[in-house]
Structures are given as structure tokens and as C-alpha cells.
């Protein structure tokens, strides 16, 4: 991991921009983090809109988590932001937009083309990044995963044993094959659902929640659209991670 810049934010949080090969990302650590007192880590997932566009929201989540004593980190997703383009993914996004603008159901093949290649490529990158984060003396386990493309979170929850709890946002289309993976998830889950999410199939979200194999899973549904998440939802998520990672 090559640190390209660092700054101390006004609340004492240390923000480091880095690259891991061709992959850019950010790592935030609270003032309390040190080699003698390493802190738990939360991986911050995000939609494939680019880190520059997502930075304000990610930094706000990171600072909120730092106040609770967590380090947080994120990486750019494949085909997004400053990373090389991915024509097949771009075409799938175009097909998705056309279907949604026309008010038609999104075909399963479009969902598969949009999500499955992204999951297959992104998850090993998250695992490589996790190796780098946990090599730092001020960052320790356990590890949580929060937000982002829910299918990426599902795959990570299945294949990455270092992740001990996950907070998932039911706001992305999910391929049918991911329901089988969801049945293999066993870690504690905190799932957020916006009841009137204009870009999400509510019933599919409920079906996915039902499919999760975790003995401890909670669904937090709020009225409002995709961007209408209430402030108190963040407090609930923070309490969830404090309970399971500390």
C-alpha cells in the first residue's frame, strides 16, 4: 500500500489517501489508534459512482465511525472513477437505465451482466486491501463491512472469515444466484431498507433478507426514497458494530 497523501482532519482523524497497485482508496484512523492500542476496522462499501463523487459521504461515515473508536477504509470499485473503463459494465448500466426509464422490469440477464462480474473482480481486491490494512500496527481486528453494493457484501460475508459482522444497504439489484450465497451467510447482519426506494425492488429486498442464513439478523426499514435515510439510522448501525466488533 503506497500512501499518496495524508492530512489530520479537524476532529483529529488521520486521513490517508493511498494506492494499492492501480486501485486508489482512503484509510481513516482515530486519534486513539496506535501500535500499542490498535482499533477495529470497518470496510466502507459504496455504489460504483467513483470515489471523488462519493468522498463527502464516505468521509462523513468515517468520521462518525472514528468517534466510536473504529478505523475505516474504502477502495475504488473496478470500472469506476479514475480506474480503467469497463465497456461490458458500461453497456449493462446503459441497458439498466433504458429499462428503468421505460418503466419495464429489469431483465435477469441485465442484472447478472451488471453485478456478477463486478462482484467477481471486486471481492478479491477488497481481500487484498484488507491484507494491507491489517498489516498496519494501528489497525487490528475484528473487521466489519458496511454499505455498498449488497452483492459484494454478501460474497465477502461468505468467503472472508476476517469479517465478523456486516451492515448492508438493500439498495441494489441482486442476481438470483446471490440468493444461494445469502443462505451461506452466518455472521450477524444489520440490513437497512428504504421502503420507497425508487431504484430498488422492495419485495426482492425482503426475499433476500429472508434468505440470509444468519442466526442474528435485523431489518431496519424506513419510509422514504434511496437518499432519504434518516440520521438515526447511522446511530443504529454504529451501535450494531460496537456490539459485535468491540
Amino acid at each position: 500500500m503506497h500512501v499518496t497523501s495524508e492530512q489530520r482532519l479537524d476532529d483529529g482523524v488521520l486521513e490517508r489517501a493511498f494506492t494499492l497497485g492501480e486501485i486508489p482508496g482512503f484509510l481513516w484512523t482515530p486519534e486513539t489508534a496506535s501500535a500499542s492500542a490498535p482499533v477495529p476496522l470497518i470496510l466502507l462499501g459504496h455504489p460504483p459512482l467513483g470515489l471523488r463523487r462519493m468522498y463527502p459521504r464516505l468521509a462523513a461515515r468515517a468520521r462518525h465511525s472514528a468517534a466510536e473508536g473504529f478505523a475505516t477504509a474504502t477502495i475504488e470499485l473496478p470500472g469506476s472513477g479514475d480506474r480503467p473503463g469497463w465497456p461490458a459494465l458500461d453497456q449493462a448500466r446503459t441497458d439498466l437505465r433504458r429499462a428503468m426509464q421505460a418503466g419495464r422490469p429489469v431483465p435477469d440477464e441485465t442484472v447478472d451482466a451488471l453485478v456478477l462480474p463486478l462482484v467477481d473482480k471486486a471481492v478479491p481486491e477488497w481481500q487484498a486491501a484488507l491484507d494491507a490494512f491489517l498489516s498496519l500496527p494501528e489497525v487490528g481486528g475484528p473487521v466489519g463491512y458496511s454499505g455498498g453494493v449488497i452483492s459484494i457484501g454478501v460474497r465477502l460475508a461468505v468467503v472472508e472469515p476476517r469479517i465478523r459482522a456486516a451492515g448492508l444497504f438493500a439498495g441494489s439489484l441482486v442476481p438470483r444466484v446471490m440468493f444461494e450465497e445469502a443462505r451461506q451467510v452466518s455472521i450477524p447482519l444489520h440490513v437497512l431498507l428504504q421502503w420507497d426506494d425508487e431504484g430498488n425492488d422492495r419485495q426482492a429486498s425482503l426475499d433476500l433478507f429472508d434468505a440470509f442464513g444468519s442466526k442474528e439478523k435485523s431489518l431496519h426499514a424506513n419510509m422514504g426514497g434511496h437518499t432519504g435515510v434518516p440520521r438515526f439510522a447511522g446511530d443504529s448501525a454504529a451501535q450494531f458494530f460496537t456490539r459485535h466488533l468491540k
Side-chain angles (χ1 to χ4, degrees):
M1 186 174 75
H2 173 63
V3 175
T4 57
S5 68
E6 66 176 55
Q7 62 173 329
R8 184 73 66 174
L9 305 181
D10 55 17
D11 51 5
V13 176
L14 178 62
E15 176 186 277
R16 281 171 277 188
F18 65 85
T19 56
L20 190 66
E22 66 169 14
I23 307 170
F26 288 96
L27 171 66
W28 294 272
T29 50
E31 283 188 293
T32 55
S34 66
S36 60
V39 294
L41 173 68
I42 299 175
L43 304 177
L44 299 182
H46 56 88
L49 301 175
L51 279 183
R52 292 185 184 184
R53 180 174 172 183
M54 292 300 302
Y55 174 82
R57 279 194 277 173
L58 289 165
R61 289 165 62 192
R63 296 172 81 156
H64 188 272
S65 296
E68 302 295 328
F70 295 104
T72 51
T74 193
I75 58 174
E76 185 73 271
L77 290 174
S80 298
D82 296 328
R83 294 190 61 179
W86 193 344
L89 202 62
D90 292 340
Q91 182 60 55
R93 288 171 179 158
T94 298
D95 294 341
L96 172 67
R97 284 194 297 270
R98 285 174 178 167
M100 296 183 71
Q101 289 170 359
R104 301 192 307 267
V106 180
D108 287 348
E109 55 267 26
T110 298
V111 177
D112 290 352
L114 179 68
V115 177
L116 293 179
L118 180 63
V119 172
D120 288 343
K121 187 169 178 59
V123 166
E125 293 179 350
W126 273 111
Q127 291 180 292
L130 184 54
D131 290 340
F133 303 145
L134 293 180
S135 72
L136 300 173
E138 68 271 29
V139 178
V143 180
Y145 177 85
S146 173
V149 178
I150 195 168
S151 292
I152 292 177
V154 171
R155 176 70 60 80
L156 278 169
V158 172
V159 304
E160 179 48 72
R162 291 173 292 183
I163 294 179
R164 307 284 288 276
L168 304 176
F169 183 59
S172 56
L173 298 167
V174 180
R176 294 184 185 278
V177 68
M178 295 304 301
F179 283 71
E180 291 303 315
E181 293 194 37
R183 293 183 176 91
Q184 301 174 48
V185 175
S186 59
I187 62 174
L189 296 178
H190 176 102
V191 182
L192 176 65
L193 171 64
Q194 286 301 104
W195 200 250
D196 305 302
D197 193 329
E198 58 279 5
N200 192 41
D201 185 324
R202 181 195 303 163
Q203 188 58 54
S205 296
L206 295 173
D207 292 343
L208 180 64
F209 178 80
D210 188 51
F212 284 127
S214 302
K215 291 183 179 179
E216 181 184 337
K217 57 181 180 179
S218 58
L219 179 67
H220 298 254
N222 299 290
M223 304 303 293
H226 189 76
T227 59
V229 180
R231 180 180 294 272
F232 62 77
D235 296 333
S236 297
Q239 293 169 7
F240 167 80
F241 283 117
T242 297
R243 189 164 65 252
H244 289 289
L245 302 184
K246 282 191 170 184

